[in-house]
Amino acid sequence: MSTLFSEAVLSAPSGQLALRNRTFLAPMCMYSVDARDGVPTPWHLVHLGARAAGGFGMVIAEATAVVPEGRISPEDLGLWNDEQAAAFRPITDFIRSQGAAAGVQLAHAGAKASTYGNVPRFVSQGLTGSVPAGDGGWVTVAPSGTSAHGLAEPRPLSAEEIAESVQAWAAAARRADEAGFDFIQIHAAHGYLIHQFLSPLTNRRGDGYGGSYEGRTRYLREVVAAVRAVWPAEKPLGVRFSGSDWVDGGWTIEETARLAVELRSLGVTVFDLSSGGIGAYRGPVGPGYQIALADEVKKALAADAQERSVENDAFVTAVGMITTAQQAEQVLVNGQADGVSIARAALREPNWAALAARELGEAVEKTPFAPQYWRAHW
């Protein structure tokens, strides 16, 4: 049996979530809510459902905004009202019916909100960057005013607004439970609001939410605590990090590893490691270019558990140009991560997981494909 297609367990404070294998569909924006109301559509059911039928162990819905102004684009999903939660329910039911777990990435884009989606209908018209108010855009918010993203200047959040924002994350988490999700991933990567607080490149605040490491990480710690307080104790909670800004004076992998250990004590058990997102990308490029970041965090969590003489129940996933079954298997065999998140390769091939199982020599009866597709002769 391959390591990639061995069963996995995600821990929670008073429960566990079993996965049929260690493949995760990474959250990827679809820019497909044409009504601009944050409500999932038949497209989202088909897109996510196809990957569940295609064998993934965990299927994670795209960045789903906790407030309307937190959307990356006006066409993004949301969980700021009950109508959205109810519309997600058939999607999560179908995902589970295919043998996968259903996850959602909760997000707030901060200064990178209100932008045109990166899809042909906008790009072909030369529509990129910030959406003006006349086309449905809005004034964005951030820890500090910044031009780092090359977008419209955001409005700095007051301390009172930060407190309200923390509660919005908690409210969205409650709705995620009502919608039937098994897992939440808090989006703290790619230059969006939480990452904007973490990075010195975008956080120039002089109060308790800026300056030192403790100040810059405060918002995420408060968000995690608020979400974990309302998210069922038997369900695991995760965070996606940008492990490094790849810029001198920016957020570093050492800080990421330190924060992962601290968040573990607040009830986060699943960590996904990406990178960059603030300004132009300056990091490495190539197959598996972010795997070393996952390895660093995995080692830090293991060392902390050993020092405290407790079981290491953290689960770390790697992401970034992992495209082949052999590559994914090697990451796990080398102990660099516990699972792999597949992104663009899964856009090209909904059955990526099932095909990977066959490439790795899994028996047909252990290959995770929909029974309706049996005649494909896997």
Side-chain angles (χ1 to χ4, degrees):
M1 178 183 290
S2 67
T3 303
L4 186 62
F5 288 92
S6 62
E7 292 184 354
V9 172
L10 307 184
S11 296
S14 64
Q16 295 180 328
L17 176 63
L19 304 180
R20 61 181 170 183
N21 60 55
R22 296 168 183 266
T23 64
F24 286 55
L25 176 72
M28 291 172 284
C29 291
M30 296 287 103
Y31 307 114
S32 295
V33 183
D34 292 337
R36 295 185 165 185
D37 58 4
V39 177
T41 70
W43 171 258
H44 298 95
L45 171 62
V46 172
H47 165 65
L48 298 170
R51 276 74 190 169
F56 282 91
M58 170 75 79
V59 171
I60 305 179
E62 66 191 76
T64 299
V66 300
V67 289
E69 62 271 21
R71 290 170 293 169
I72 300 169
S73 83
E75 292 77 24
D76 282 3
L77 291 173
L79 265 174
W80 65 79
N81 65 42
D82 293 341
E83 180 187 4
Q84 295 157 348
F88 266 118
R89 191 76 207 206
I91 298 174
T92 59
D93 286 345
F94 185 81
I95 289 171
R96 273 196 302 279
S97 77
Q98 300 304 300
V104 62
Q105 183 186 69
L106 294 184
H108 190 310
K112 292 181 76 173
S114 187
T115 60
Y116 285 104
N118 186 23
V119 287
R121 60 177 167 150
F122 296 126
V123 175
S124 63
Q125 301 178 66
L127 297 174
T128 61
S130 297
V131 179
D135 198 15
W138 56 89
V139 176
T140 60
V141 297
S144 312
T146 180
S147 60
H149 307 295
L151 299 168
E153 184 83 5
R155 178 178 62 79
L157 287 163
S158 68
E160 293 76 15
E161 289 172 322
I162 290 174
E164 293 172 359
S165 175
V166 169
Q167 292 310 306
W169 286 87
R174 282 194 295 269
R175 293 191 185 96
D177 180 46
E178 295 165 3
F181 285 105
D182 305 302
F183 170 71
I184 284 175
Q185 181 186 83
I186 294 172
H187 199 351
H190 299 167
Y192 299 126
L193 183 62
I194 292 177
H195 187 188
Q196 291 161 25
F197 271 94
L198 296 177
S199 176
L201 301 177
T202 46
N203 187 342
R204 304 299 173 87
R205 298 181 70 94
D207 62 4
Y209 289 95
S212 67
Y213 166 89
E214 287 75 15
R216 287 182 286 110
T217 61
R218 179 180 172 184
Y219 179 64
L220 176 53
R221 286 185 279 111
E222 290 184 354
V223 166
V224 165
V227 169
R228 186 70 272 182
V230 301
W231 184 237
E234 68 273 13
K235 293 185 177 184
L237 177 62
V239 170
R240 169 172 266 191
F241 280 119
S242 274
S244 175
D245 286 340
W246 304 117
V247 177
D248 288 344
W251 180 252
T252 68
I253 185 55
E254 291 79 15
E255 290 174 307
T256 302
R258 174 182 172 183
L259 185 53
V261 169
E262 293 171 0
L263 294 184
R264 176 63 197 89
S265 67
L266 296 178
V268 177
T269 55
V270 186
F271 302 88
D272 188 60
L273 272 297
S274 189
S275 69
I278 294 178
Y281 181 76
R282 301 179 186 178
V285 177
Y289 67 103
Q290 294 170 155
I291 293 171
L293 301 175
D295 186 33
E296 189 85 10
V297 170
K298 182 173 168 60
K299 288 176 179 174
L301 290 162
D304 174 68
Q306 183 176 21
E307 182 178 338
R308 294 186 294 114
S309 299
V310 298
E311 180 184 0
N312 180 21
D313 59 357
F315 194 98
V316 177
T317 54
V319 66
M321 293 186 71
I322 300 172
T323 59
T324 70
Q326 292 78 12
Q327 181 190 15
E329 176 73 4
Q330 197 63 50
V331 170
L332 304 190
V333 169
N334 287 346
Q336 295 168 292
D338 303 298
V340 294
S341 293
I342 306 299
R344 296 179 191 183
L347 293 182
R348 293 189 292 268
E349 178 49 75
N351 297 305
W352 188 94
L355 293 171
R358 299 302 293 136
E359 289 179 28
L360 294 174
E362 292 293 319
V364 172
E365 60 271 18
K366 293 185 178 296
T367 298
F369 62 86
Q372 292 88 341
Y373 296 157
W374 178 77
R375 286 173 294 165
H377 301 294
W378 301 88

